[in-house]
Amino acid sequence: MTKGERTRERIIRQAAPLFNQRGYEGSSMQEIMAATELEKGGIYRHFSSKQELAAKAFDYAWAEAMKARRHDLDGVDNSVDKLKRYIANFVERRGSVPGGCPLLNTATDSDDGNAVLRTRARKALRGWQNFLEAIIADGIRKSEIRANVEKAKLANVIIASLEGAIMIGRLEQSLEPLRTAQSHLDDYLEAKVRIKN
Amino acid sequence: MTKGERTRERIIRQAAPLFNQRGYEGSSMQEIMAATELEKGGIYRHFSSKQELAAKAFDYAWAEAMKARRHDLDGVDNSVDKLKRYIANFVERRGSVPGGCPLLNTATDSDDGNAVLRTRARKALRGWQNFLEAIIADGIRKSEIRANVEKAKLANVIIASLEGAIMIGRLEQSLEPLRTAQSHLDDYLEAKVRIKN
C-alpha cells in the first residue's frame, strides 16, 4: 500500500463511527475533519465528495459487522446449526464500528433520499440475503432442512427479526430484545425447518 | 381552538413529513420554512426550538401511524384474532405521514444522540408494547391465549418482525417482506399462542 492508500483507509476507518452514529446529514464536514485530524483539502484529496466518503465508510462498517456475525461459522457443519450460530453471533458480537447495525442505520437514513447510500444499503441487504439463502439451499440439498422451506422467506424472517430487535434493544439499552428474537428464531428453526433423524 | 393554536397544529402537520423522511439533521430550517410557508420568526413564535418542533412532529406522525394500525380493532372479539388484525393493519395501512414508520426512523436517528427525540421514541415504543401486552393479558385471562405465553416477549417478537420487515421492504420498494412477516407471525400465533377449543 502506498502512503496515499494508507491515508485513505485511515480516513474511512475514522469517519465510519461518525457516519454510523450520526447519519449522513448529521455528520458535518467539521466533525469529519475533527475525527480524521485533517483539513478539508486533505480529505478531498482522497475522496471526490462527502457522499463518496460516506459510501466507503458504510462499506467498511458493513464489512466489519459481517466479519463479526460470520465468526467461526465455517467450523459448523449442519446447516441449521450454522443458522443458529449465525444468529448467536449476531446477538453476542459487534462489529468494530460503534452505533448499531450499519445496514439498519443507512437504510432508514437513505430510504427517502440519498440515492448513492441507498444503492449501497440495498447491495448490502442483497448480499446478506444471498449468504443466508446459500446456507438454506445447502441444507435442503443435504436433507438437513425441509424441502418446503422457502429460502428467500426464511432469510427475510431471520433478518427482519434481528434488525427489529436491534432497534428495540438500542432504545431500551438492553440485550434482552435480541435474546428474545434469538430464542424465537431458534425455536422456529427446530420446529419448522430442521429435519430430525 | 384559537388562531394561534390552529397555526401551531398546521406547522406540526406540515413539518412532520419532512422530519419523518429526512431525519432531524436532514431537515434544515430552510426546508421547514418552505414546507410551512413561514419565516423563521413565524415558526419560533410557536416553538421554542427546532427540537421542540421535531418532538411534536414525531408525536403527530406516531399518533397517525397508531390510528392506522388500530383501525377497526375494537370490533374484533377474540384476542388472537385481534393480534392478527393488528398485524394485517400494519401491513396494509399507512399513517398519513409519508416516510415509513416514525418509530423506526426516529429510533435509528436519535439512538446515538438527540436525547429529546430518543426519550420520545422510547415512550412511543413503551406505549406500543403496553398496547400489545394488554391484548395478550386479556387473552390469557379469557383462556384464548396459552397461560405460558410471556406477554413482553410476544409483544417484542411482533414489533421486531414488523419493524425489521419495514426496513427490508422500504429498501426493496416491495410489500413482500411485510407479507412474509405477517404470515410468519400468523402461523406462530396459531401454533404456539392460541388455545383451540
Side-chain angles (χ1 to χ4, degrees), chain B residues 63-76:
Chain B
E64 290 291 301
M66 278 195 302
K67 211 194 304 174
R69 295 168 187 176
R70 294 180 185 183
H71 179 81
D72 262 358
L73 223 55
D74 288 342
V76 184

Side-chain angles (χ1 to χ4, degrees), chain B residues 23 62 64 157:
Chain B
W62 181 243
E64 290 291 301
V157 163

Side-chain angles (χ1 to χ4, degrees), chain A residues 50-81:
Chain A
K50 179 180 164 188
Q51 195 147 274
E52 193 203 345
L53 173 55
K56 297 289 179 200
F58 168 72
D59 288 350
Y60 173 76
W62 181 243
E64 290 291 300
M66 279 195 303
K67 211 194 306 172
R69 295 169 186 175
R70 293 180 186 183
H71 178 81
D72 262 359
L73 223 54
D74 288 342
V76 184
D77 194 46
N78 178 285
S79 52
V80 176
D81 293 332

Side-chain angles (χ1 to χ4, degrees), chain A residues 1 5-19 35-36 47 53 56-58 60-61 64 96-98:
Chain A
M1 257 203 285
E5 284 165 346
R6 276 202 306 277
T7 308
R8 193 177 143 89
E9 301 266 296
R10 177 177 72 76
I11 296 171
I12 293 170
R13 218 168 41 239
Q14 291 177 326
L18 187 61
F19 282 113
T36 57
F47 302 92
L53 173 55
K56 297 289 179 200
F58 168 72
Y60 173 76
E64 290 291 300
S96 66
V97 180

Side-chain angles (χ1 to χ4, degrees), chain A residues 64-65 68 89-97 100 175 178:
Chain A
E64 290 291 300
N89 282 345
F90 192 100
V91 174
E92 285 154 26
R93 292 174 177 274
R94 300 281 163 277
S96 66
V97 180
L175 261 184
L178 269 173

